[in-house]
Amino acid sequence: MFHDTFLKACRQEPVSRIPVWYMRQAGRYQAEYRVIRAQHHNFFDLCRDPELCARVTRLPVEHLGVDAAILFSDIMTPLKARGLDVELVEGTGPVIRHPFRRAHDLSSLRTLDPDRDLQYVIETVKLLHSQLSVPLIGFAGAPFTLASYMIEGGPSKNYHLTKGFMYTHPDDWQALMEDLAAMTVSYLKAQIAAGAQAVQVFDSWVGALGAEDYRTFIAPVMRNIFTALRQTDAVTLYFAAGAGHLLKEWDKLPVDVLSFDWRTSPQFIRGMHLSKAVQGNLDPSMLLAPFPLLKERTRQILDVMGCRPGFIFNLGHGLFPEVDEQQLKRLTDFIHQYPIYKERSYEDE
C-alpha cells in the first residue's frame, strides 16, 4: 500500500496525521549505514552502486517509519559526472582542487546527459520506485550553493569570494547561473522520469545573501528552475539554512514547499501568511537533549503549525553522526500520534 500523506501535505490537501521526514535521514547515525560506508573508501564509488544506494535510502523508512524517503546521493554528484575535480573530505565536505575564477572555466565541464553520465542514479531511482511504500524525494543543489563550492574551493564561513565574483563579474556570474540551472533542471527531470514523486532543491548557503541581492542575482534563475519543473507531476521543495529573511521572496516562486530552520519561529511563519506549504523546523541539536525536553520543543512547533494546511515536520538542517536512532524513532512516533488540527488561538502571538 502506498502512503501519500507527504504528497498531500505538499499540495496543502487534508491529511490524517502530520507527515515527517528528516534531512540527511540516510547517513552516518545509522549503524547499518556505517558498515556499508566502511566498505567504500570513496563516497562517490558508493553512489555508483544502485542496489546499495537503494538500500541506504530505504533504511529510515524501515527503521523510523518516516513519510518520505530521500535519495541517497550528494549535490556534487552531477558536477563530478561533468568532470569537476571534486572530492568529499570527511569532516570538511566538498573540496574543489581548481576553484573557478571566470566563466571561461566552465569550458572544462562537459554538458550533463543524465542518462549517459548518471545512469547509476537513474537506476537507483527506478529501483526505489518499485520498492518504496512512501514517496521518494529526488534532489539537486541550487546554482548559488553549487557555485559557492566551485568558487570558494570548499565550504566557507562568509562566502566573500562567491559574492565578490557575483558583484565584480556579473556577466560571468549570469553565465555560471544559467549553466548550473540547466544542469539542475535536466538532472531533476531525469529523476522524476525515473520515478521520484517529489524533488528538493538544496540552496543550503543562499542565506548568506540579503534580500536585495537575492532578488537581483538569484531569484530569476530559481524562478526559471521551478517553472521548468512545473512541466512535471512532481511536487517541489526549496531549502536553505539561515534564510528566514528570504521567505517572502521565496513565496513569489512557483514552488510547492518552503523550508524554514530553527532561527525562524513557527509563530513568525504563521504571521507571514505564506501561500506555500512549509516544512521545518526543529534544531537538530535538540536530538541530543533528554527526550522530555525534545518532546516539549517538538510539541511547541506542532501546537503552532499542526493546524496549518500544508505543514511537514522536519529538522532545520540535517541529521549528524551523534544522533541516536532510537531517539529519532521515538520522536517520529510522537509526531505521528500528535492530534492534528488542534484548536488554539493565535491572535495574540
Side-chain angles (χ1 to χ4, degrees):
M1 180 178 178
F2 184 75
H3 302 280
D4 62 352
T5 305
F6 166 77
L7 295 177
K8 287 182 176 178
C10 290
R11 298 179 178 125
Q12 302 187 62
E13 299 171 359
V15 293
S16 59
R17 70 183 188 188
I18 297 170
V20 54
W21 69 281
Y22 305 105
M23 283 178 277
R24 294 183 186 162
Q25 65 185 19
R28 292 172 294 171
Y29 71 97
Q30 297 173 302
E32 188 169 344
Y33 169 75
R34 290 195 295 271
V35 171
I36 294 171
R37 181 70 177 87
Q39 299 169 356
H40 295 78
H41 174 71
N42 187 295
F43 177 87
F44 290 114
D45 288 342
L46 172 56
C47 290
R48 294 186 181 95
D49 188 323
E51 293 283 352
L52 276 182
C53 284
R55 175 63 184 147
V56 172
T57 301
R58 294 195 313 270
L59 285 176
V61 180
E62 297 169 357
H63 292 184
L64 304 176
V66 290
D67 296 288
I70 185 164
L71 178 67
F72 178 77
S73 187
D74 189 82
I75 63 171
M76 303 306 290
T77 298
L79 285 171
K80 178 81 168 177
R82 294 179 65 186
L84 183 70
D85 189 0
V86 56
E87 295 299 332
L88 294 182
V89 178
E90 191 73 23
T92 299
V95 174
I96 314 296
R97 185 171 298 179
H98 303 292
F100 278 42
R101 292 295 175 259
R102 296 299 298 265
H104 174 73
D105 293 329
L106 279 169
S107 63
S108 66
L109 303 181
R110 61 178 174 268
T111 300
L112 182 74
D113 180 341
D115 290 329
R116 176 195 66 203
D117 303 321
L118 294 169
Q119 187 275 334
Y120 48 90
V121 175
I122 305 308
E123 183 59 30
T124 301
V125 174
K126 289 179 178 178
L127 282 173
L128 288 164
H129 184 70
S130 66
Q131 295 169 347
L132 287 169
S133 60
V134 298
L136 174 66
I137 306 170
F139 73 89
F144 176 86
T145 292
L146 295 176
S148 75
Y149 287 117
M150 296 166 73
I151 295 168
E152 305 280 346
S156 172
K157 293 181 178 179
N158 48 48
Y159 302 94
H160 289 328
L161 293 178
T162 305
K163 292 194 275 187
F165 184 103
M166 185 175 72
Y167 299 139
T168 307
H169 307 291
D171 292 341
D172 285 359
W173 177 262
Q174 183 63 26
L176 181 57
M177 291 295 98
E178 290 177 359
D179 176 273
L180 295 175
M183 178 192 77
T184 298
V185 170
S186 174
Y187 184 38
L188 290 177
K189 282 189 172 182
Q191 293 179 50
I192 294 166
Q197 296 98 338
V199 288
Q200 176 155 301
V201 179
F202 282 90
D203 212 350
S204 304
W205 313 130
V206 81
L209 297 182
E212 181 178 355
D213 283 344
Y214 185 87
R215 281 192 297 271
T216 302
F217 295 104
I218 307 300
V221 73
M222 296 312 302
R223 186 175 299 110
N224 290 342
I225 288 172
F226 288 120
T227 298
L229 294 174
R230 280 277 192 230
Q231 301 168 7
T232 73
D233 294 329
V235 298
T236 53
L237 304 91
Y238 192 25
F239 167 81
H245 61 292
L246 299 178
L247 283 168
K248 280 292 188 184
E249 300 302 322
W250 290 5
D251 203 37
K252 302 172 187 175
L253 299 173
V255 61
D256 297 307
V257 184
L258 306 180
S259 298
F260 65 107
D261 72 9
W262 68 96
R263 301 171 184 89
T264 303
S265 73
Q267 290 85 352
F268 182 78
I269 293 293
R270 283 187 62 91
M272 291 183 73
H273 302 292
L274 298 170
S275 64
K276 317 292 187 186
V278 295
Q279 71 173 3
N281 77 327
L282 184 73
D283 184 342
S285 297
M286 283 301 306
L287 294 169
L288 300 182
F291 190 73
L293 177 57
L294 171 60
K295 187 166 69 171
E296 173 59 22
R297 291 291 183 89
T298 300
R299 183 195 63 76
Q300 292 172 7
I301 296 170
L302 298 177
D303 276 354
V304 177
M305 301 302 298
C307 60
R308 183 193 191 278
F311 174 64
I312 300 148
F313 190 93
N314 208 317
L315 304 176
H317 208 174
L319 290 168
F320 50 94
E322 293 79 10
V323 170
D324 179 77
E325 189 170 6
Q326 289 307 308
Q327 178 95 320
L328 205 55
K329 177 68 169 68
R330 292 180 70 189
L331 176 63
T332 306
D333 291 343
F334 173 72
I335 295 163
H336 281 159
Q337 294 163 9
Y338 204 77
I340 198 166
Y341 304 135
K342 196 172 182 180
E343 291 295 329
R344 274 188 71 187
S345 172
Y346 301 94
E347 293 179 359
D348 297 328
E349 294 181 348

Coordinates of all heavy atoms in Angstrom, one line a residue, residues 84-134:
L84 N 34.2 17.8 -13.0 CA 34.7 18.6 -12.0 C 35.6 17.8 -11.0 O 35.2 16.7 -10.6 CB 33.6 19.3 -11.2 CG 34.1 20.3 -10.1 CD1 34.7 21.6 -10.8 CD2 32.9 20.7 -9.2
D85 N 36.8 18.3 -10.7 CA 37.7 17.6 -9.8 C 37.3 17.9 -8.4 O 37.8 18.9 -7.7 CB 39.1 18.1 -10.1 CG 40.2 17.2 -9.3 OD1 39.7 16.3 -8.6 OD2 41.4 17.5 -9.4
V86 N 36.3 17.2 -7.9 CA 35.8 17.4 -6.5 C 35.9 16.1 -5.7 O 35.6 15.0 -6.3 CB 34.3 17.9 -6.6 CG1 33.5 16.9 -7.4 CG2 33.8 18.1 -5.1
E87 N 36.2 16.2 -4.5 CA 36.2 15.1 -3.5 C 35.5 15.5 -2.3 O 35.5 16.6 -1.9 CB 37.6 14.6 -3.2 CG 38.4 14.1 -4.4 CD 37.8 12.9 -5.0 OE1 37.1 12.1 -4.3 OE2 38.1 12.6 -6.2
L88 N 34.8 14.5 -1.7 CA 34.1 14.7 -0.4 C 35.1 14.3 0.7 O 35.4 13.1 0.9 CB 32.8 13.9 -0.3 CG 31.7 14.3 -1.3 CD1 30.5 13.5 -1.1 CD2 31.4 15.8 -1.1
V89 N 35.6 15.3 1.5 CA 36.5 15.0 2.5 C 35.8 14.9 3.9 O 35.0 15.8 4.2 CB 37.6 16.2 2.6 CG1 38.5 16.0 3.8 CG2 38.3 16.3 1.3
E90 N 36.0 13.8 4.5 CA 35.4 13.5 5.8 C 35.6 14.6 6.8 O 36.8 15.1 7.0 CB 35.9 12.2 6.4 CG 35.1 11.7 7.6 CD 33.8 11.1 7.2 OE1 33.6 10.7 6.0 OE2 32.9 11.0 8.0
G91 N 34.5 15.2 7.4 CA 34.6 16.2 8.3 C 34.8 17.6 7.7 O 34.7 18.6 8.5
T92 N 34.9 17.7 6.4 CA 35.0 19.0 5.7 C 33.9 19.2 4.8 O 33.2 20.2 4.8 CB 36.4 19.1 5.0 OG1 37.4 19.0 6.0 CG2 36.5 20.4 4.3
G93 N 33.7 18.3 3.9 CA 32.7 18.5 2.8 C 33.3 18.5 1.4 O 34.5 18.0 1.3
P94 N 32.7 19.0 0.4 CA 33.2 19.0 -0.9 C 34.5 19.9 -1.0 O 34.5 21.1 -0.5 CB 32.1 19.6 -1.8 CG 30.9 19.5 -0.9 CD 31.3 19.5 0.5
V95 N 35.5 19.4 -1.6 CA 36.7 20.2 -1.8 C 37.0 20.2 -3.3 O 37.1 19.1 -3.9 CB 37.9 19.6 -1.0 CG1 39.2 20.4 -1.4 CG2 37.6 19.7 0.5
I96 N 37.2 21.4 -3.9 CA 37.5 21.5 -5.3 C 39.0 21.9 -5.5 O 39.4 22.8 -4.9 CB 36.6 22.7 -5.9 CG1 35.2 22.6 -5.5 CG2 36.8 22.7 -7.5 CD1 34.5 21.4 -6.0
R97 N 39.7 21.1 -6.3 CA 41.1 21.3 -6.4 C 41.4 22.5 -7.2 O 42.4 23.2 -6.8 CB 41.7 20.1 -7.1 CG 43.3 20.1 -7.2 CD 43.8 18.8 -7.7 NE 43.5 17.7 -6.8 CZ 43.9 16.4 -7.0 NH1 44.6 16.1 -8.1 NH2 43.6 15.5 -6.1
H98 N 40.7 22.9 -8.2 CA 40.9 24.0 -9.0 C 39.7 24.9 -9.0 O 38.8 24.8 -9.9 CB 41.3 23.6 -10.4 CG 42.5 22.7 -10.5 ND1 43.7 23.1 -10.2 CD2 42.6 21.4 -10.8 CE1 44.6 22.1 -10.3 NE2 43.9 21.1 -10.7
P99 N 39.5 25.8 -8.0 CA 38.4 26.7 -8.0 C 38.2 27.6 -9.2 O 39.1 27.9 -9.9 CB 38.6 27.6 -6.7 CG 39.6 26.8 -5.9 CD 40.5 26.1 -6.9
F100 N 36.9 27.9 -9.5 CA 36.6 28.7 -10.7 C 36.9 30.2 -10.4 O 36.7 30.7 -9.3 CB 35.1 28.5 -11.0 CG 34.8 27.3 -11.8 CD1 35.4 26.1 -11.5 CD2 33.9 27.4 -12.9 CE1 35.2 25.0 -12.3 CE2 33.7 26.2 -13.7 CZ 34.3 25.0 -13.3
R101 N 37.3 30.9 -11.4 CA 37.6 32.3 -11.3 C 37.0 33.1 -12.4 O 36.7 34.3 -12.2 CB 39.1 32.5 -11.3 CG 39.9 32.0 -10.1 CD 39.4 32.7 -8.9 NE 40.0 32.2 -7.6 CZ 39.3 31.4 -6.8 NH1 38.1 31.1 -7.0 NH2 39.9 30.9 -5.7
R102 N 36.7 32.6 -13.5 CA 35.9 33.3 -14.6 C 35.0 32.3 -15.3 O 35.2 31.1 -15.2 CB 36.9 33.9 -15.6 CG 37.8 35.0 -15.0 CD 37.0 36.2 -14.5 NE 36.2 36.9 -15.5 CZ 36.6 37.9 -16.1 NH1 37.7 38.5 -15.9 NH2 35.8 38.5 -17.0
A103 N 34.1 32.8 -16.1 CA 33.1 31.9 -16.8 C 33.9 31.0 -17.8 O 33.4 29.9 -18.0 CB 32.1 32.8 -17.6
H104 N 35.0 31.4 -18.2 CA 35.8 30.5 -19.2 C 36.1 29.2 -18.5 O 36.2 28.1 -19.2 CB 37.1 31.2 -19.6 CG 38.0 30.3 -20.4 ND1 37.7 30.0 -21.7 CD2 39.2 29.7 -20.1 CE1 38.7 29.2 -22.2 NE2 39.6 29.0 -21.2
D105 N 36.2 29.1 -17.2 CA 36.5 27.9 -16.5 C 35.4 26.8 -16.7 O 35.6 25.6 -16.6 CB 36.6 28.1 -15.0 CG 37.9 28.9 -14.7 OD1 38.8 28.8 -15.5 OD2 37.9 29.7 -13.7
L106 N 34.2 27.3 -17.1 CA 33.1 26.4 -17.4 C 33.4 25.5 -18.6 O 32.8 24.4 -18.7 CB 31.8 27.2 -17.7 CG 31.0 27.7 -16.5 CD1 29.9 28.6 -17.0 CD2 30.3 26.5 -15.8
S107 N 34.3 25.9 -19.5 CA 34.6 25.1 -20.7 C 35.3 23.8 -20.3 O 35.3 22.9 -21.2 CB 35.5 25.9 -21.6 OG 36.8 26.2 -21.0
S108 N 35.7 23.7 -19.1 CA 36.4 22.4 -18.7 C 35.3 21.4 -18.3 O 35.7 20.2 -18.1 CB 37.3 22.7 -17.5 OG 36.5 23.1 -16.3
L109 N 34.1 21.8 -18.2 CA 33.0 20.8 -17.9 C 32.2 20.5 -19.1 O 31.7 21.4 -19.8 CB 32.1 21.4 -16.8 CG 32.7 21.9 -15.5 CD1 31.7 22.5 -14.6 CD2 33.5 20.8 -14.9
R110 N 31.9 19.2 -19.3 CA 31.0 18.8 -20.4 C 29.6 19.0 -20.0 O 29.2 19.0 -18.8 CB 31.3 17.3 -20.8 CG 31.0 16.3 -19.7 CD 31.3 14.9 -20.2 NE 31.2 13.9 -19.2 CZ 32.2 13.5 -18.5 NH1 33.4 14.0 -18.7 NH2 32.0 12.5 -17.5
T111 N 28.7 19.1 -21.0 CA 27.3 19.2 -20.7 C 26.7 17.9 -20.1 O 27.1 16.8 -20.6 CB 26.5 19.5 -22.1 OG1 27.0 20.7 -22.6 CG2 25.0 19.6 -21.8
L112 N 25.9 18.0 -19.1 CA 25.4 16.8 -18.5 C 24.3 16.1 -19.3 O 23.3 16.8 -19.7 CB 24.8 17.2 -17.1 CG 24.3 16.0 -16.3 CD1 25.4 15.2 -15.7 CD2 23.4 16.5 -15.1
D113 N 24.4 14.8 -19.5 CA 23.4 14.0 -20.0 C 23.1 12.9 -19.0 O 23.9 12.0 -18.8 CB 23.9 13.3 -21.3 CG 22.8 12.4 -21.9 OD1 21.9 12.0 -21.2 OD2 23.0 12.0 -23.1
P114 N 22.0 13.1 -18.2 CA 21.8 12.2 -17.0 C 21.7 10.7 -17.4 O 22.3 9.9 -16.7 CB 20.4 12.7 -16.5 CG 20.4 14.1 -16.9 CD 21.0 14.2 -18.2
D115 N 21.1 10.4 -18.6 CA 21.0 9.0 -19.0 C 22.4 8.4 -19.3 O 22.6 7.2 -19.1 CB 20.1 8.9 -20.2 CG 18.7 9.2 -19.8 OD1 18.3 8.9 -18.7 OD2 17.9 9.7 -20.7
R116 N 23.3 9.3 -19.7 CA 24.7 8.8 -20.1 C 25.6 8.9 -18.9 O 26.3 7.9 -18.5 CB 25.2 9.6 -21.2 CG 26.7 9.3 -21.6 CD 27.3 10.4 -22.5 NE 27.4 11.6 -21.7 CZ 27.5 12.8 -22.3 NH1 27.4 13.0 -23.6 NH2 27.6 13.9 -21.5
D117 N 25.6 10.0 -18.2 CA 26.6 10.3 -17.2 C 26.2 9.8 -15.8 O 27.0 9.6 -14.9 CB 26.8 11.8 -17.1 CG 27.3 12.4 -18.5 OD1 28.1 11.7 -19.1 OD2 26.9 13.5 -18.8
L118 N 24.9 9.7 -15.5 CA 24.4 9.4 -14.2 C 23.4 8.2 -14.2 O 22.4 8.2 -13.5 CB 23.7 10.6 -13.5 CG 24.7 11.8 -13.2 CD1 23.9 13.0 -12.9 CD2 25.7 11.4 -12.1
Q119 N 23.7 7.2 -15.1 CA 22.8 6.1 -15.3 C 22.6 5.4 -13.9 O 21.5 4.9 -13.7 CB 23.4 5.1 -16.3 CG 22.5 4.0 -16.7 CD 22.6 2.8 -15.8 OE1 23.7 2.6 -15.1 NE2 21.6 2.0 -15.7
Y120 N 23.6 5.3 -13.1 CA 23.5 4.7 -11.8 C 22.5 5.4 -10.9 O 21.8 4.7 -10.1 CB 24.9 4.5 -11.1 CG 25.7 5.8 -11.1 CD1 25.6 6.7 -10.0 CD2 26.6 6.1 -12.1 CE1 26.4 7.9 -10.0 CE2 27.3 7.3 -12.1 CZ 27.2 8.1 -11.0 OH 28.0 9.3 -11.0
V121 N 22.5 6.7 -10.9 CA 21.5 7.4 -10.1 C 20.1 7.1 -10.7 O 19.1 6.8 -9.9 CB 21.7 8.9 -10.2 CG1 20.6 9.7 -9.4 CG2 23.1 9.3 -9.6
I122 N 19.9 7.1 -11.9 CA 18.6 6.8 -12.6 C 18.2 5.4 -12.2 O 17.0 5.2 -11.9 CB 18.7 7.0 -14.1 CG1 19.1 8.4 -14.4 CG2 17.3 6.8 -14.7 CD1 18.4 9.6 -13.8
E123 N 19.1 4.5 -12.2 CA 18.7 3.1 -11.9 C 18.3 3.0 -10.4 O 17.4 2.2 -10.1 CB 19.9 2.2 -12.2 CG 19.7 0.7 -11.9 CD 18.5 0.1 -12.7 OE1 18.3 0.6 -13.8 OE2 17.9 -0.8 -12.2
T124 N 19.0 3.7 -9.5 CA 18.7 3.7 -8.1 C 17.2 4.2 -7.9 O 16.4 3.6 -7.2 CB 19.6 4.6 -7.3 OG1 21.0 4.2 -7.5 CG2 19.3 4.6 -5.8
V125 N 16.9 5.3 -8.6 CA 15.5 5.9 -8.5 C 14.5 4.8 -9.0 O 13.4 4.6 -8.4 CB 15.4 7.2 -9.3 CG1 14.0 7.7 -9.3 CG2 16.3 8.2 -8.7
K126 N 14.8 4.2 -10.1 CA 13.9 3.2 -10.6 C 13.7 2.0 -9.6 O 12.5 1.5 -9.4 CB 14.4 2.6 -12.0 CG 14.3 3.6 -13.1 CD 14.8 3.0 -14.4 CE 14.7 4.0 -15.6 NZ 15.3 3.5 -16.8
L127 N 14.7 1.6 -9.0 CA 14.6 0.5 -8.0 C 13.7 1.0 -6.9 O 12.8 0.2 -6.4 CB 16.0 0.2 -7.5 CG 16.9 -0.7 -8.3 CD1 18.3 -0.8 -7.7 CD2 16.3 -2.1 -8.5
L128 N 14.0 2.2 -6.4 CA 13.2 2.7 -5.2 C 11.8 2.9 -5.6 O 10.9 2.7 -4.7 CB 13.8 4.0 -4.7 CG 15.2 3.8 -4.0 CD1 15.9 5.1 -3.9 CD2 15.0 3.2 -2.6
H129 N 11.5 3.3 -6.8 CA 10.1 3.5 -7.2 C 9.3 2.2 -7.1 O 8.1 2.2 -6.7 CB 10.1 4.0 -8.6 CG 8.7 4.3 -9.1 ND1 7.9 5.4 -8.6 CD2 7.9 3.7 -10.0 CE1 6.8 5.4 -9.2 NE2 6.7 4.4 -10.1
S130 N 10.0 1.1 -7.3 CA 9.3 -0.2 -7.2 C 9.3 -0.8 -5.8 O 8.6 -1.7 -5.5 CB 9.9 -1.2 -8.2 OG 11.3 -1.5 -7.8
Q131 N 10.2 -0.3 -4.9 CA 10.4 -0.9 -3.6 C 9.7 -0.1 -2.5 O 9.3 -0.7 -1.5 CB 11.9 -0.9 -3.3 CG 12.7 -1.8 -4.2 CD 14.2 -1.7 -4.0 OE1 14.7 -0.7 -3.4 NE2 15.0 -2.6 -4.5
L132 N 9.5 1.2 -2.6 CA 9.0 2.0 -1.5 C 7.5 2.1 -1.4 O 6.8 2.0 -2.4 CB 9.5 3.5 -1.7 CG 11.0 3.7 -1.4 CD1 11.4 5.1 -1.9 CD2 11.4 3.6 0.0
S133 N 7.1 2.2 -0.2 CA 5.6 2.4 0.1 C 5.3 3.9 0.4 O 4.2 4.2 0.7 CB 5.2 1.5 1.2 OG 5.9 1.8 2.4
V134 N 6.3 4.7 0.4 CA 6.2 6.2 0.6 C 6.8 6.9 -0.6 O 7.6 6.3 -1.3 CB 6.8 6.6 1.9 CG1 6.2 5.9 3.1 CG2 8.3 6.4 1.9

